[in-house]
Amino acid sequence: MCPPEHFKVTYSINPWMDPGKPVDVPLALTQWETLRDRYRALGHTVDELVPHAGLPDMVFSANGATVIDGRVLGARFAHAERAEEAAEHLAWFRGQGFAEVAEPVHINEGEGDFAVTSSWILAGRGFRASPLSHGEAQEFFGRPVIGLDLVDPRYYHLDTALAVLDDEADDVMYFPGAFSPGSQAVLRRLFPDALIASEADAAALGMNAVSDGLHVLLPQGAVGLFEPLRERGYEPVGVDLGELLKGGGSVKCCTQELRS
Ligand code: ARG
């Protein structure tokens, strides 16, 4: 995770971002610290990246890399405003002694567009990741990559439209309206029992959730998801990241998962 010390909305690269709307940085920091402390209270280890003044979106650390089996595929950002974040992540991984750290050739924004299940890597395309990054990830990780077409600019990253709830049982939740008809059919085929989210819950960025297989941390405004999650045996934990929503991100965007 990366604290939002320098979080700002000075440019707009997704429909949630309005540079005319003020951001309350102390509030953003408090909200972010609450999320970080929740993870720690649940027994998870959280490492922190050092934020940079010129990189206001660095708080969305999920975009900086994808880590599976301890192997790190770095990011290459679609927009110039975020390009320099990639090197910060690579440097962190190298400094931590990760042996396999690859700089990608094709555009991918880390876990923004890559979601990992036990069987597959689900990979979004349409707004950010290059379709060519899918083959690159498949080759690097040796896992089948399933390409999914995103069609609604509000759900510009896969992690705004779908969340993995249990990466051993391949349980997911998603908002169908974010996907092309063909990709919706693929999702139905792969995940016939998925939790299907409503438009209202997706619009509260409810799909931008992180699950450890039991606890599901998600934006508290996605009220329609809490009961269905409980019925499936999960413990939903609502989090208020209202300030970061102004950048188009929430729980998952702020969290890069290190899969060993
Ligand atoms: N402002 C950032 C962008 O548009 C938000 C990124 C959110 N991260 C995510 N994983 N969806 O790039």
Side-chain angles (χ1 to χ4, degrees), residues 65-145:
T66 306
V67 186
I68 308 173
D69 301 327
R71 313 179 67 217
V72 183
L73 180 61
R76 184 177 291 275
F77 285 83
H79 296 97
E81 291 90 337
R82 299 195 65 186
E84 286 169 33
E85 293 179 41
E88 297 297 322
H89 284 260
L90 289 176
W92 186 86
F93 283 106
R94 292 191 176 118
Q96 296 285 315
F98 282 76
E100 264 190 277
V101 181
E103 202 175 334
V105 173
H106 301 291
I107 289 171
N108 89 68
E109 298 194 344
E111 295 186 308
D113 278 316
F114 290 135
V116 183
T117 73
S118 71
S119 311
W120 307 291
I121 297 171
L122 307 177
R125 60 186 172 216
F127 298 102
R128 299 291 179 88
S130 158
L132 295 172
S133 73
H134 296 183
E136 189 173 20
Q138 176 165 288
E139 192 59 36
F140 182 72
F141 291 117
R143 293 195 182 208
V145 170

Side-chain angles (χ1 to χ4, degrees), residues 13-14 17 57 60 62-63 82 112 128 156-157 159-160 247-249 253:
I13 55 174
N14 71 56
M17 300 175 82
D57 270 336
F60 300 118
N63 301 131
R82 299 195 65 186
R128 299 291 179 88
Y156 57 93
H157 271 144
D159 72 359
T160 63
C253 298

Side-chain angles (χ1 to χ4, degrees), residues 41-247:
L42 292 170
H44 300 295
T45 302
V46 179
D47 296 305
E48 292 186 30
L49 273 181
V50 178
H52 278 240
L55 299 171
D57 270 336
M58 216 177 144
V59 59
F60 300 118
S61 60
N63 301 131
T66 306
V67 186
I68 308 173
D69 301 327
R71 313 179 67 217
V72 183
L73 180 61
R76 184 177 291 275
F77 285 83
H79 296 97
E81 291 90 337
R82 299 195 65 186
E84 286 169 33
E85 293 179 41
E88 297 297 322
H89 284 260
L90 289 176
W92 186 86
F93 283 106
R94 292 191 176 118
Q96 296 285 315
F98 282 76
E100 264 190 277
V101 181
E103 202 175 334
V105 173
H106 301 291
I107 289 171
N108 89 68
E109 298 194 344
E111 295 186 308
D113 278 316
F114 290 135
V116 183
T117 73
S118 71
S119 311
W120 307 291
I121 297 171
L122 307 177
R125 60 186 172 216
F127 298 102
R128 299 291 179 88
S130 158
L132 295 172
S133 73
H134 296 183
E136 189 173 20
Q138 176 165 288
E139 192 59 36
F140 182 72
F141 291 117
R143 293 195 182 208
V145 170
I146 311 278
L148 298 167
D149 291 296
L150 297 165
V151 295
D152 181 333
R154 285 174 304 165
Y155 308 110
Y156 57 93
H157 271 144
L158 180 66
D159 72 359
T160 63
L162 177 147
V164 178
L165 295 172
D166 185 334
D167 62 7
E168 280 161 26
D170 279 357
D171 193 20
V172 303
M173 62 178 175
Y174 66 93
F175 169 55
F179 298 93
S180 70
S183 292
Q184 290 181 31
V186 168
L187 287 168
R188 281 196 300 272
R189 182 178 283 262
L190 295 181
F191 308 107
D193 303 318
L195 196 172
I196 301 297
S198 70
E199 164 103 65
D201 289 326
L205 269 194
M207 298 300 95
N208 203 242
V210 171
S211 174
D212 62 12
L214 173 59
H215 311 97
V216 180
L217 291 88
L218 77 169
Q220 65 179 17
V223 289
L225 293 170
F226 286 71
E227 210 33 55
L229 284 169
R230 277 191 204 102
E231 277 163 21
R232 297 168 90 91
Y234 298 104
E235 286 180 27
V237 180
V239 183
D240 178 11
L241 289 177
E243 285 309 296
L244 296 170
L245 212 57
K246 295 175 182 171

